[in-house]
Amino acid sequence: ASAVRVAVRALCLAALLGALGAGGTELTLELPDSAQRCFHQELESGIKFTLDYQVISGGHYDVDCYVEDPNGKTIYQETKKQYDSFPHHTEVKGVYTFCFSNEFSTFSHKIVYFDFQVGDEPPILPDMNNRVTALTQMESACVTIHEMLNAVIDSQTHYRLREAQDRSRAEELNGRVSYWSVGETLILFVVSIGQVMLLKSFFTEKRPGSGGAGT
């Protein structure tokens, strides 16, 4: 029984490491107004990659994005997107370029999150794809745990992005409310002074002019 528990722990640890160590790059970048940022990745032919991105804050939460193959051919292009996902299988070997552009905006800075995944995730069990026999109960349990861990990681990423986006919107709204409050305070101050001056003019005694006929 102890040997079985050790084996279960080992397989589950492999599932955990596989879920946490999948190949890819995650990055959050600041994109100034009227600017463009590009990234380059050398890939072999016949490799699958997926580009996921989302604008976290800034302006209308939109950005331009395009991907070029090593020959300079545009294989993906979208304008003013809030978020999107682009899967692709490479046809030629070389350096692939993907860019985020905020050139259409002259005032708003953007914060963009992207996840660039390369290749398929390796199986967590040896020769899992070539097996002709059914998985054992222990192996099935580990595969299930691995899939659940992947789902948890995706959910955590999604909620982190939503939290960051909501925090940005809340800070922006708080700033607008603060400016509006300051403006209202100044208007009330000016109106109050005007009312005081107006009321004072009503009750000011008008003295008759000096001088009269001599006797």
Side-chain angles (χ1 to χ4, degrees), residues 95-145:
V95 177
Y96 286 76
T97 303
F98 57 98
C99 299
F100 299 100
S101 174
N102 192 32
E103 295 176 328
F104 61 87
S105 177
T106 56
F107 299 102
S108 301
H109 284 54
K110 308 288 176 63
I111 296 180
V112 182
Y113 162 86
F114 74 86
D115 181 12
F116 188 73
Q117 296 289 335
V118 179
D120 294 322
E121 185 178 357
I124 63 172
L125 300 175
D127 300 327
M128 181 176 175
N129 296 330
N130 299 325
R131 297 187 57 168
V132 295
T133 59
L135 297 177
T136 65
Q137 184 176 1
M138 180 177 61
E139 291 172 339
S140 298
C142 289
V143 171
T144 301
I145 293 174

Side-chain angles (χ1 to χ4, degrees), residues 22-24 43 46-50 88-90 116-122:
L43 299 174
I47 297 295
K48 176 185 176 182
F49 72 83
T50 303
H88 182 72
H89 281 84
T90 61
F116 188 73
Q117 296 289 335
V118 179
D120 294 322
E121 185 178 357

Side-chain angles (χ1 to χ4, degrees), residues 188-199:
L188 289 175
F189 184 71
V190 172
V191 170
S192 299
I193 293 178
Q195 288 179 342
V196 171
M197 298 295 293
L198 183 62
L199 290 174

Side-chain angles (χ1 to χ4, degrees), residues 76-93:
Y76 171 83
Q77 184 172 11
E78 289 290 344
T79 59
K80 296 185 178 181
K81 295 284 289 188
Q82 294 184 353
Y83 58 88
D84 202 6
S85 178
F86 172 62
H88 182 72
H89 281 84
T90 61
E91 297 179 355
V92 293
K93 177 182 177 181

Side-chain angles (χ1 to χ4, degrees), residues 133-206:
T133 59
L135 297 177
T136 65
Q137 184 176 1
M138 180 177 61
E139 291 172 339
S140 298
C142 289
V143 171
T144 301
I145 293 174
H146 177 73
E147 293 174 351
M148 293 176 65
L149 287 172
N150 283 333
V152 169
I153 293 173
D154 292 340
S155 297
Q156 287 179 339
T157 301
H158 172 73
Y159 286 123
R160 283 200 304 267
L161 293 176
R162 288 292 300 274
E163 188 272 336
Q165 192 176 71
D166 291 342
R167 183 175 64 250
S168 174
R169 289 179 176 175
E171 291 175 353
E172 182 181 357
L173 181 60
N174 180 65
R176 292 183 179 181
V177 171
S178 299
Y179 288 133
W180 181 257
S181 300
V182 171
E184 282 188 332
T185 302
L186 293 176
I187 292 174
L188 289 175
F189 184 71
V190 172
V191 170
S192 299
I193 293 178
Q195 288 179 342
V196 171
M197 298 295 293
L198 183 62
L199 290 174
K200 186 177 180 181
S201 66
F202 287 160
F203 294 98
T204 299
E205 181 181 359
K206 295 183 178 180

Side-chain angles (χ1 to χ4, degrees), residues 52-68:
D52 299 318
Y53 64 91
Q54 179 175 343
V55 181
I56 300 176
S57 67
H60 296 288
Y61 300 88
D62 53 358
V63 71
D64 295 345
C65 179
Y66 67 88
V67 181
E68 291 183 350

